Amino acid sequence: MSPLENLLKDDVRLPSPPLIAVRILDLVKRDNFSFHRLGEIIQADPALTGRILRLANSSCYAMPKKVSNFDTAIAMLGGNAVMNIALSFIISQCFQGKRGDRFDFGLLWRRSVTSAVAGQLIASEIGMKSDDVFITSLLQDIGIGAMFLSRREDYLAVLDEKTVSGCMLSSVERKIFEFDHQEAGSSLLKMWGLPESVYLPILYHHEPENAPLAIQHLCQIIQASDQLSAVYYGSGSVKNAHRVKNLLWNSFQIDEGRAMQLIDAVAQKSDEVLSQFNIQSENTPSFSEILQNANEELSRLNISSQTLIIEYREAKQKADKLAAELKVANDKLRSVVCRDGLTGLYNHRFFQESLGSELEFAERNRLSVSVIMFDIDNFKGINDSYGHHCGDLALQAVGNYLLRTSRASDIAARYGGDEFIILLRDTPLEGARIRAETICDELASVSIDYNGVQFGITGSFGVAAYDPRVPMTRTELANLVDKAMYESKSKGRNRVSVQREIA
Ligand code: GH3
Ligand code: MG
């Protein structure tokens, strides 16, 4: 059994045609069937009769005068047309009560009724007389409902894949089900006993060019009715309107102006017909109204997007300013944490931390690191003679000198009070000693002016080095250089002493 036969055969999830439909269809099969007998069957259901009359009187059928009773309906519309209207109501009713979580049966039927109205209006626009336009346009997608009811999960997978891939619905259906909703709908209606004039056009409504010649025109109308209802129930009204206008021109030479009127008329007239199908309709706006609203919305959006751009620029400027301020604040913070406030040199804490990491680096890379430490000689005397402020200026002068003359790779710090220390990366003891001698000499040669009073300063220097061949700790190196410096003090100040080994 083919997958489609499987779907149709004994599937309890599919609705079966109600008794009244069976009676009508049985009657139609007889050669000598009379419209009088059709009237008897239909009028046994007063609600159905009322609906048929209301539909016959709707602007969709454009009757020259009011259809007041069933016989007039048969006389004016023709027996076949009335029978098709009756079947349209009956069949749509069997599906209307169905529910499906993520599947919107309500939308399917609203769209189907809109297609039926569209089909009817297109037919009258091109002057085509056919009793089958309304019912075939209405039931064209009945296969979708049947496929969903029979294999819910698979059909939800179809809808998901269509959304993701953007492929045609029919081709995704064929991939997952091995048949599409044209075949499913057509076969179901055939199985229920509907005439060939109804089920055959449905089989070709997406591909009228493949339909038998006699029904090609009808298939084109169904296809156009589907595309027209997509203006109101598909995604992308403007794109769909453009598509249906092209189709209406190519298939029926309906020009753009008439096509627009037709598209608008479908919205107006479908509300009336929807209510006869017991489908709630909220005044469907015409395509022109949709377009107008969209244009207004677009201009509002344009204005708000310009405002947004301005606001964005302002916000960005604020954020940039804030980021710049934050950077300055961070730099300050870093400086407070690492630098000495008086001299601008690195502080004791920063130096100690750096010394540890620098020694590790030197050990890993087998490099030398030297340290120069010096203390201002008789500094107390400066404070005492010229005041604390003058002492500060002297300390600042030393700081400026060190900042100006140190290599970028050196770490010059105020170690505390009148004590300074310099770390020289990748520098052996002798290099550091030469550098210490230079600082010592230059410091001694500088004359500091304080309120017209000139005075000079000297320092006592100690030099020690880390030799990668004789590893030592941070404390050992600090002690070594401290010792060297005190040697200079003890030897008479204003000099450089070198300490080579840990005592
Ligand atoms: P020595 O040659 O033995 O080093 O003699 P000294 O007078 O320099 O003695 P010492 O180094 O022990 O004294 C340092 C003095 O520096 C003590 C303190 O009053 C002064 N001092 C420490 N910090 C500051 C400062 O920030 N500003 C000023 N003006 N003086 C400071
Ligand atoms: Mg001192």
Side-chain angles (χ1 to χ4, degrees):
M1 214 184 298
S2 76
L4 179 56
E5 285 165 340
N6 254 333
L7 181 125
L8 298 173
K9 196 119 177 105
D10 300 329
D11 195 329
V12 288
R13 288 162 293 197
L14 284 179
S16 33
L19 196 61
I20 184 166
V22 176
R23 283 201 187 131
I24 293 172
L25 294 167
D26 273 351
L27 179 73
V28 175
K29 275 184 215 143
R30 285 183 219 148
D31 288 339
N32 57 349
F33 107 83
S34 79
F35 289 122
H36 177 72
R37 178 70 195 122
L38 177 72
E40 279 177 0
I41 298 171
I42 291 173
Q43 287 179 89
D45 184 337
L48 178 64
T49 312
R51 283 190 193 175
I52 293 169
L53 294 179
R54 278 196 295 278
L55 185 65
N57 282 311
S58 74
S59 50
C60 182
Y61 277 89
M63 288 289 112
K65 62 175 191 161
K66 194 167 185 295
V67 181
S68 51
N69 60 49
F70 198 79
D71 291 336
T72 325
I74 298 229
M76 289 176 72
L77 286 170
N80 269 326
V82 172
M83 179 191 70
N84 280 345
I85 293 173
L87 288 172
S88 298
F89 281 123
I90 296 164
I91 293 170
S92 66
Q93 223 166 11
C94 343
F95 278 87
Q96 269 179 38
K98 303 289 175 195
R99 300 197 164 276
D101 321 318
R102 281 162 60 211
F103 186 85
D104 192 345
F105 264 104
L107 176 69
L108 180 73
W109 280 106
R110 276 198 302 281
R111 184 168 169 166
S112 298
V113 171
T114 306
S115 297
V117 173
Q120 198 65 26
L121 293 182
I122 294 167
S124 80
E125 179 70 27
I126 60 172
M128 181 190 180
K129 300 241 176 297
S130 165
D131 295 335
D132 301 313
V133 173
F134 189 88
I135 191 167
T136 48
S137 301
L138 178 83
L139 300 180
Q140 61 180 305
D141 285 337
I142 201 165
I144 293 178
M147 288 166 84
F148 171 75
L149 286 175
S150 180
R151 287 164 55 184
R152 283 174 186 246
E153 290 308 313
D154 286 341
Y155 207 79
L156 290 176
V158 166
L159 296 177
D160 288 342
E161 189 168 332
K162 181 189 179 298
T163 309
V164 173
S165 68
C167 292
M168 296 272 296
L169 181 66
S170 297
S171 69
V172 183
E173 287 170 341
R174 277 195 287 273
K175 194 174 136 195
I176 295 180
F177 280 78
E178 292 181 39
F179 55 87
D180 64 18
H181 69 272
Q182 300 182 102
E183 296 167 83
S186 178
S187 303
L188 179 75
L189 295 174
K190 185 180 179 185
M191 192 177 81
W192 281 8
L194 272 98
E196 192 184 75
S197 63
V198 174
Y199 70 75
L200 203 56
I202 288 175
L203 184 61
Y204 296 102
H205 71 273
H206 284 298
E207 47 210 26
E209 63 283 1
N210 295 335
L213 214 57
I215 59 164
Q216 265 190 9
H217 211 47
L218 176 59
C219 292
Q220 283 178 321
I221 292 179
I222 305 173
Q223 184 189 35
S225 79
D226 175 52
Q227 291 192 11
L228 206 159
S229 65
V231 173
Y232 297 106
Y233 294 106
S235 55
S237 298
V238 175
K239 181 193 74 193
N240 290 336
H242 189 68
R243 189 175 61 148
V244 74
K245 276 189 234 168
N246 277 341
L247 186 72
L248 289 171
W249 173 252
N250 293 333
S251 302
F252 314 112
Q253 285 71 56
I254 295 176
D255 64 28
E256 170 138 17
R258 282 161 68 212
M260 272 303 282
Q261 283 172 3
L262 203 55
I263 295 171
D264 283 351
V266 168
Q268 289 152 16
K269 296 184 176 175
S270 62
D271 277 351
E272 195 185 347
V273 179
L274 278 164
S275 69
Q276 278 136 41
F277 276 83
N278 281 346
I279 298 171
Q280 251 197 331
S281 65
E282 317 91 18
N283 266 344
T284 314
S286 68
F287 179 63
S288 303
E289 285 165 342
I290 294 175
L291 218 56
Q292 197 181 337
N293 290 342
N295 281 334
E296 282 168 12
E297 191 56 33
L298 206 63
S299 60
R300 256 200 302 280
L301 273 177
N302 263 339
I303 293 165
S304 61
S305 74
Q306 279 164 7
T307 318
L308 273 179
I309 290 168
I310 292 167
E311 281 173 4
Y312 165 75
R313 281 197 190 131
E314 284 173 0
K316 189 165 183 317
Q317 274 170 3
K318 267 188 201 158
D320 287 349
K321 192 164 166 262
L322 210 67
E325 285 170 2
L326 205 65
K327 189 184 176 304
V328 171
N330 276 337
D331 288 350
K332 263 190 199 154
L333 199 67
R334 245 196 313 276
S335 161
V336 165
V337 172
C338 309
R339 299 273 175 178
D340 167 57
L342 182 70
T343 60
L345 295 168
Y346 288 113
N347 58 24
H348 180 98
R349 203 187 72 160
F350 181 82
F351 184 87
Q352 283 292 343
E353 283 172 9
S354 304
L355 184 61
S357 54
E358 288 298 330
L359 289 184
E360 281 172 24
F361 181 81
E363 191 180 348
R364 275 202 309 276
N365 297 284
R366 308 201 61 76
L367 296 171
S368 303
V369 175
S370 291
V371 179
I372 301 171
M373 183 185 258
F374 66 95
D375 181 285
I376 312 288
D377 299 327
N378 305 312
F379 190 66
K380 272 195 208 105
I382 296 171
N383 275 337
D384 294 346
S385 308
Y386 310 107
H388 203 267
H389 183 241
C390 181
D392 282 355
L393 285 179
L395 294 173
Q396 279 173 337
V398 176
N400 286 337
Y401 168 78
L402 291 180
L403 286 171
R404 201 177 66 242
T405 58
S406 296
R407 293 183 307 189
S409 56
D410 292 348
I411 299 173
R414 185 180 175 201
Y415 211 50
D418 62 345
E419 226 171 62
F420 296 85
I421 196 159
I422 307 162
L423 179 142
L424 301 102
R425 285 191 187 117
D426 195 18
T427 308
L429 187 67
E430 184 54 17
R433 191 193 62 75
I434 293 168
R435 169 85 175 120
E437 293 284 2
T438 310
I439 299 170
C440 182
D441 291 348
E442 287 187 346
L443 212 59
S445 66
V446 169
S447 174
I448 297 168
D449 185 314
Y450 182 67
N451 292 336
V453 181
Q454 310 282 322
F455 66 93
I457 51 170
T458 60
S460 298
F461 289 75
V463 182
Y466 168 88
D467 184 338
R469 290 165 300 182
V470 194
M472 65 176 84
T473 66
R474 181 174 72 172
T475 316
E476 284 168 341
L477 182 62
N479 287 340
L480 213 58
V481 76
D482 193 61
K483 213 171 161 202
M485 188 186 78
Y486 277 99
E487 190 185 319
S488 291
K489 286 281 184 200
S490 63
K491 282 188 175 166
R493 298 180 168 82
N494 188 22
R495 71 191 61 221
V496 174
S497 301
V498 172
Q499 189 70 33
R500 292 179 194 279
E501 284 163 20
I502 305 164

